[in-house]
Amino acid sequence: MPISPKYGQLIQFDEAISHFKQKIQIPTESYKDLRGHIHARAFTVAGATNTELLGDLHKAVTHAIEDGETLAAFRKRFDDIVAKHGWSYNGKRGWRTKTIYRNNKNTARAAGRWEQQQRVKARRPYLLYLTAGDQRVRPQHGKWNYILLPIEHNFWHTHYPPNGWLCRCKVVNLSEAEINRQGLTVTPENALKEHTKYFTEVDANTGEELQRLPGIDLGWDYNPGKAWLGGDISAGKTLYKQDKHIRDVLIPKFNDAVNTGESHFKKHIATTAAKQALGRQLDDGAKLIVGHLNNNAVDKVIAKSALDHSTLVVIDDAMISVSLAAIGFEQTANLMQLIQQASSAAYNQSVLKLTTDSALITIQVMADFNRVVAVEKL
């Protein structure tokens, strides 16, 4: 019988940790250098242009998310990093540390919550927007409090919190029964118009015309969880178009980033195996990233297709179940490495077959990403 955690015991948010660890570190001069969806896959701190400095800051935030560190503990790490690198940063220490600490934790948690909500959307298909409910809530965010919409609604593409610097809003998922019990009603479309109409703002420094949404800070009009796969899709399509020699260098680096989330992938495999053994319903709609095709496999596709494709490979729970039955738990848990390091590949009519020492993996090659559609034991 499982032991319930005691009060004060750390319960790790595996999805949030996995999402943050897989971020690719990108040095930048200004927060305006990267905006929107790219932040879902990039870890950046404005003014941190030294890769070693950025790496140390990434480790510090990882500790904060993984170990549940307080802001005070993070500030101690921050001070040590600043002293080590002699970094002269802009802004006051209190504001700068709070921004780095909270924004990275909040976006990681948001991405993790979205993944969880996608898994249970068949049973709890609605999302409810909630503010912190105090005097510090921004007036525009207050207007969104208790907006209730289906999880598939476009509103959540742009308004899934956090919706700005230090935003404390959140979204919870509800079932039909919970909605009825709480006396809630789905928000009508005409009530959303004032919140979803873009306006143009001119950057006073550069003269650039920027498209903004009311109440959302510049660059925050995206869903961290939904954009997560979107960021990998963009990376996969970009990698596919590179020269063979460049791909040979870049693909392993991107796979290294994906593989930092391997422990989360294996936990998901274990959960799916347990559900399968108990005859329970599998998660619906979740797509797990297993990595990017190796250069040999990409070459096989390019040789026979004139279309642009992607290097990214994903798998869903239905196919994980098939894999468990075909090659067992141990090999399914190692699926990331099997696909990334497949010894041979053959491509024909949008189907790529990867051969490993233990399995034949069939992948459907698509425009945005590639999907595992069969796993057979050799």
Side-chain angles (χ1 to χ4, degrees), residues 273-306:
K275 287 182 178 180
Q276 186 172 298
L278 295 171
R280 294 181 180 174
Q281 182 179 352
L282 297 179
D283 294 335
D284 179 48
K287 291 184 178 66
L288 275 73
I289 295 168
V290 291
H292 295 268
L293 296 171
N294 63 40
N295 219 4
N296 175 50
V298 176
D299 284 342
K300 295 295 175 64
V301 178
I302 290 175
K304 289 191 175 182
S305 176

Side-chain angles (χ1 to χ4, degrees), residues 291-339:
H292 295 268
L293 296 171
N294 63 40
N295 219 4
N296 175 50
V298 176
D299 284 342
K300 295 295 175 64
V301 178
I302 290 175
K304 289 191 175 182
S305 176
L307 301 175
D308 284 337
H309 293 295
S310 171
T311 61
L312 184 67
V313 183
V314 303
I315 190 170
D316 58 26
D317 272 11
M319 193 47 52
I320 288 174
S321 179
V322 169
S323 180
L324 286 166
I327 62 175
F329 176 82
E330 186 175 342
Q331 290 300 311
T332 300
N334 196 39
L335 208 54
M336 296 174 77
Q337 300 303 320
L338 292 179
I339 289 173

